Amino acid sequence: MKVKELLAESCHLLACVQDGRLEAEILLSHSLGVNRAWLYANSDTDVADLTATSFMQLVKRRRQGEPIAYLTGIREFWSFRLKVTPEVLIPRPETELLVETALARIPADTRWRVADLGTGSGAVALAIATERPACEVFASDISARALLVARKNAESLNLTGIHFLQGSWLTPLEGKFNGIVSNPPYVARHDPHMQQGDCRFEPESALSPGTDAMACIRHIAETAPPFLESGGFLAFEHGYDQGEASRQLLLQLNYEDVETINDLAGLERVTAVSYTHLRAHETR
């Protein structure tokens, strides 16, 4: 079949998918090892039967709902392309706000120690390390398979100075940090979103802490103070309806300068705070 014929057939199959034409082009580009512009410039080119068959299998899997990021093994985030597998959460555009929030608090050329908890594909840690190369960045995750993906992403970006540590949240960390960031699971197990879209194929443990949607956020907020330098910051992503609960939790724990930042859709998405040991001691 020719390129244009494969596109026509795949677009028909993906008519039920939002941006079906775009996704058909992405999958065909991936199958052929070319960019999308090549498809238009070579629409009459014949495609080998084996490649065409492989491509149509990808299209059928996408039609059944499998995330395109898992089909291609690639997801764009920040200024780079990340390797993703079903072992890790697919990075969302909203999570770039967490990176922006952290960068706004980390002075340029500083040698701060910064930790990313539950790093997954390494998206947040790699973005911070790219923009603040003088910082010492630590990335923890309980999943050894997720850390393998994160390490490969770091290698592909030539970021050799990141420390990848296996363990739950802050457990594998040692010493004090100037900044701690996290995009933890924050969707309740019974939430209908768990059975919709890409969430159906992603690791449940990366999406949901169980019946208590705030469990991981609460744990991080409660256990972070001993790891924070005085005046250090904590920033984490949360659900659109968890801003108020996050602020109240942090105020109760004696954090200061509590601020929630809205995403591009105007939804509360990231909350950041600073922590002063002296104030915490005085108010206990």
Side-chain angles (χ1 to χ4, degrees), residues 17 34 88 99 186 195 201:
V17 177
V34 300
V88 300
V99 176
Y186 54 75
Q195 303 304 320
F201 297 84

Side-chain angles (χ1 to χ4, degrees), residues 134-155:
C135 285
E136 189 175 12
V137 178
F138 296 75
S140 72
D141 203 291
I142 197 170
S143 168
R145 292 182 177 180
L147 285 176
L148 180 60
V149 175
R151 285 192 180 97
K152 288 182 177 179
N153 281 325
E155 290 170 3

Side-chain angles (χ1 to χ4, degrees), residues 230-253:
S230 189
F233 75 90
L234 168 68
F236 55 86
E237 181 175 330
H238 51 70
Y240 71 93
D241 57 351
Q242 295 171 336
E244 179 61 27
S246 295
R247 291 189 292 274
Q248 290 302 317
L249 168 67
L250 294 165
L251 289 171
Q252 291 170 8
L253 293 171

Side-chain angles (χ1 to χ4, degrees), residues 4 6 13 39 46 62 72 84 113 225-226 231-232 256 262 283:
K4 63 183 179 184
L6 282 172
L13 289 173
L39 302 179
D46 290 320
R62 180 60 187 134
T72 63
V84 293
R113 300 178 86 228
E256 298 178 288
N262 292 359
T283 54

Side-chain angles (χ1 to χ4, degrees), residues 166-266:
Q166 185 178 359
S168 176
W169 306 122
L170 293 134
T171 304
L173 302 183
E174 295 181 355
K176 300 280 188 178
F177 294 82
N178 305 96
I180 296 174
V181 300
S182 183
N183 176 21
Y186 54 75
V187 183
R189 182 176 296 153
H190 60 268
D191 191 301
H193 288 94
M194 291 290 291
Q195 303 304 320
Q196 298 173 6
D198 292 352
C199 293
R200 295 170 294 165
F201 297 84
E202 294 177 285
E204 182 177 325
S205 60
L207 288 165
S208 175
T211 55
D212 179 4
M214 291 285 293
C216 291
I217 291 174
R218 187 178 302 107
H219 175 80
I220 291 170
E222 290 174 348
T223 56
F227 292 87
L228 283 168
E229 293 281 7
S230 189
F233 75 90
L234 168 68
F236 55 86
E237 181 175 330
H238 51 70
Y240 71 93
D241 57 351
Q242 295 171 336
E244 179 61 27
S246 295
R247 291 189 292 274
Q248 290 302 317
L249 168 67
L250 294 165
L251 289 171
Q252 291 170 8
L253 293 171
N254 299 314
Y255 286 95
E256 298 178 288
D257 304 321
V258 181
E259 177 187 13
T260 299
I261 303 97
N262 292 359
D263 60 23
L264 292 177

